[in-house]
Amino acid sequence: MDKQELEKQFEAHMREHELLLFKVCRIYTFTDVDRQDLFQDIVIQTWKAFPKFRGESKFSTWLYRVAINTAITGLRRKKDFITYYEPLSLPAHISDDNAAKTDEEQLKQLYEAIRRLNEVEKAIVMLYMEDRSYEEMEAILGLSQGNLRVKMNRIKEKLRQLTKEINYGT
Amino acid sequence: MELDDLKNTWKKNQDYTSTNINIMELIQNKHYGPVAALKKAFKKQMRLMIILPLLIFATSINDIGKVLTSVLFWSYIAFCLAVIMFSFYNYRIVGRMEGMDGMVKSNLELQVNLLQKRLQWNIIGLRFALLFFVILIEVVPYFQHYRMLDKWHALHPLVRLGAYAALFTLQYFVSRKLSQRKFGNHLMHLEELVKQMQA
């Protein structure tokens, strides 16, 4: 395959999966500038690895690998990595009345809670929310399905606690 | 809040608008992640080690015969060659870390393994370099006379031995500190990720 053809294919794949990259960047960064940097890093890494893609797995599975690997191993380059984010601007709600909240508000809370998870947990919860099967998650992360199920249960519990904390503004 | 209830909202709502980013323009940019930074550092080291002996050569062009018969000069060339080889080895190791399309866990384990190996060789290499110069300083006067070494060799052997011991101790701490500053934090971050995987 010549370079032009390769570039064409690559661009088409990236356009098709732009949303996937956007989600990874949103989960792993806190500012727009970092988000753009990470997006660029992932695109460059994907381009470097693209000639090796043989189609043995779905493109999205392969792309998740590149994106997560780049996100979790590359974020320390400029400054010390922010492991915990204190959302000072979050309103300190008095009650834990989730029923009264719209889905969008709950989603915002979920994002805030996810940002307090560690890097591996973030990847697992993102894939879970994307409805990826445990088999596919295993192919991306390299963890056994049994281990992933155990971790997912723990993460669910952790997220429940974290959203409660966010609700109470702690 | 139940995670499963939010799956649909998650998929729909991502504040996402197509970015219209020129993907092909993005890939023309140089990558500047930690691995790329390490590769750049090793490349720079190799270039420097090629330039320095040439510089010595160029500045001593009027007295070239003396330079070419100097044991110190050739020892320095040997040292530079060793550093170039070592940097090339490091460059290749770091190059292997660039593959990002493997499973996340195995990719992390590979990166940790390679960096630990590099760290070990780095410490061994530095110790050998220091030992090489110590032996050189002690042995060279038997073959060639260097005025600059006269005063040193006039000192009592025990004083010289003490100074060398101090030098090795200093090197132990300095090289550790330097390695930590260069890529130790990145290694610690990767080790933490491996721990998170295994937890």
Side-chain angles (χ1 to χ4, degrees):
Chain A
M1 193 188 305
D2 66 2
K3 200 186 169 204
Q4 237 178 353
E5 183 63 25
L6 198 71
E7 283 182 357
K8 231 180 195 175
Q9 268 195 21
F10 177 73
E11 193 173 5
H13 275 306
M14 295 314 275
R15 286 267 168 250
E16 195 187 330
H17 295 89
E18 213 177 29
L19 181 59
L20 181 158
L21 297 189
F22 175 82
K23 286 174 186 172
V24 174
C25 294
R26 181 167 179 179
I27 287 274
Y28 282 103
T29 57
F30 300 106
T31 67
D32 281 344
V33 177
D34 284 348
R35 215 158 286 159
Q36 283 166 15
D37 281 354
L38 181 58
F39 188 90
Q40 183 176 328
D41 279 1
I42 296 172
V43 171
I44 292 171
Q45 288 298 348
T46 312
W47 170 245
K48 277 185 183 171
F50 189 61
K52 284 193 281 170
F53 176 64
R54 299 269 170 262
E56 284 151 2
S57 58
K58 280 196 282 179
F59 184 79
S60 59
T61 305
W62 183 81
L63 185 59
Y64 266 123
R65 281 191 202 158
V66 179
I68 294 171
N69 274 325
T70 309
I72 65 175
T73 61
L75 280 171
R76 297 183 65 90
R77 68 170 181 274
K78 280 191 298 190
K79 46 191 176 279
D80 273 339
F81 188 52
I82 311 163
T83 41
Y84 292 101
Y85 174 68
E86 289 303 329
L88 296 170
S89 57
L90 267 184
H93 297 289
I94 306 300
S95 71
D96 184 15
D97 184 11
N98 278 332
K101 288 196 173 77
T102 64
D103 278 355
E104 275 186 31
E105 280 172 329
Q106 286 196 46
L107 191 69
K108 265 187 191 163
Q109 271 191 4
L110 176 64
Y111 265 112
E112 291 305 334
I114 288 173
R115 279 176 183 162
R116 295 186 186 197
L117 297 176
N118 69 38
E119 311 310 309
V120 175
E121 289 169 338
K122 280 178 188 173
I124 295 172
V125 80
M126 178 183 65
L127 295 170
Y128 180 82
M129 293 304 276
E130 287 294 313
D131 254 344
R132 301 283 152 176
S133 64
Y134 280 105
E135 197 183 354
E136 198 177 346
M137 282 160 82
E138 184 181 17
I140 295 167
L141 298 170
L143 292 169
S144 71
Q145 292 181 43
N147 194 352
L148 281 165
R149 283 195 170 88
V150 172
K151 277 192 193 299
M152 197 56 229
N153 283 333
R154 267 192 245 152
I155 293 169
K156 280 182 181 173
E157 191 47 47
K158 208 168 169 182
L159 283 173
R160 263 186 224 115
Q161 293 297 322
L162 284 169
T163 41
K164 262 186 203 167
E165 280 174 25
I166 292 169
N167 269 328
Y168 285 102
T170 53
Chain B
M1 176 176 63
E2 283 307 318
L3 216 52
D4 298 87
D5 300 337
L6 284 171
K7 271 189 181 175
N8 280 334
T9 324
W10 171 283
K11 282 185 200 160
K12 274 187 288 176
N13 186 334
Q14 288 286 342
D15 296 338
Y16 172 73
T17 43
S18 185
T19 48
N20 280 328
I21 292 170
N22 188 341
I23 300 279
M24 298 326 286
E25 205 174 279
L26 275 188
I27 60 172
Q28 304 306 324
N29 290 318
K30 281 190 178 167
H31 185 60
Y32 49 93
V35 174
L38 271 178
K39 269 184 102 175
K40 208 174 145 187
F42 294 133
K43 244 187 192 173
K44 215 163 112 183
Q45 203 167 33
M46 281 191 270
R47 278 196 205 122
L48 196 74
M49 285 297 135
I50 293 170
I51 291 169
L52 280 178
L54 289 177
L55 215 67
I56 296 175
F57 205 75
T59 49
S60 319
I61 202 84
N62 293 331
D63 203 2
I64 201 74
K66 202 175 169 190
V67 173
L68 289 176
T69 52
S70 164
V71 176
L72 273 187
F73 176 74
W74 289 111
S75 310
Y76 186 64
I77 294 284
F79 171 75
C80 288
L81 282 175
V83 173
I84 290 170
M85 275 161 62
F86 192 60
S87 300
F88 183 67
Y89 162 77
N90 281 326
Y91 184 80
R92 285 193 55 182
I93 277 193
V94 172
R96 280 175 64 194
M97 286 169 61
E98 276 191 317
M100 287 285 171
D101 56 343
M103 284 182 193
V104 177
K105 190 180 177 212
S106 43
N107 181 57
L108 284 172
E109 284 167 348
L110 175 79
Q111 294 212 11
V112 167
N113 196 306
L114 287 174
L115 277 179
Q116 280 174 341
K117 210 160 79 177
R118 207 204 83 83
L119 184 68
Q120 264 178 349
W121 278 108
N122 200 38
I123 290 170
I124 293 171
L126 277 169
R127 217 158 282 168
F128 263 103
L130 203 61
L131 192 68
F132 174 74
F133 277 104
V134 168
I135 292 172
L136 200 68
I137 288 171
E138 288 301 311
V139 170
V140 153
Y142 291 106
F143 300 99
Q144 252 171 3
H145 179 253
Y146 285 95
R147 233 178 352 173
M148 61 181 176
L149 292 177
D150 283 352
K151 273 187 185 167
W152 180 249
H153 282 273
L155 293 171
H156 192 276
L158 275 179
V159 177
R160 296 207 308 266
L161 203 67
Y164 293 141
L167 201 64
F168 273 101
T169 314
L170 190 73
Q171 182 264 334
Y172 175 81
F173 290 109
V174 172
S175 64
R176 249 160 218 280
K177 193 125 187 142
L178 280 177
S179 302
Q180 188 65 22
R181 195 171 65 91
K182 261 191 173 175
F183 61 93
N185 288 336
H186 185 60
L187 177 61
M188 268 162 61
H189 172 65
L190 294 178
E191 282 171 340
E192 176 59 34
L193 288 172
V194 171
K195 258 188 223 159
Q196 287 174 14
M197 278 277 177
Q198 287 162 349

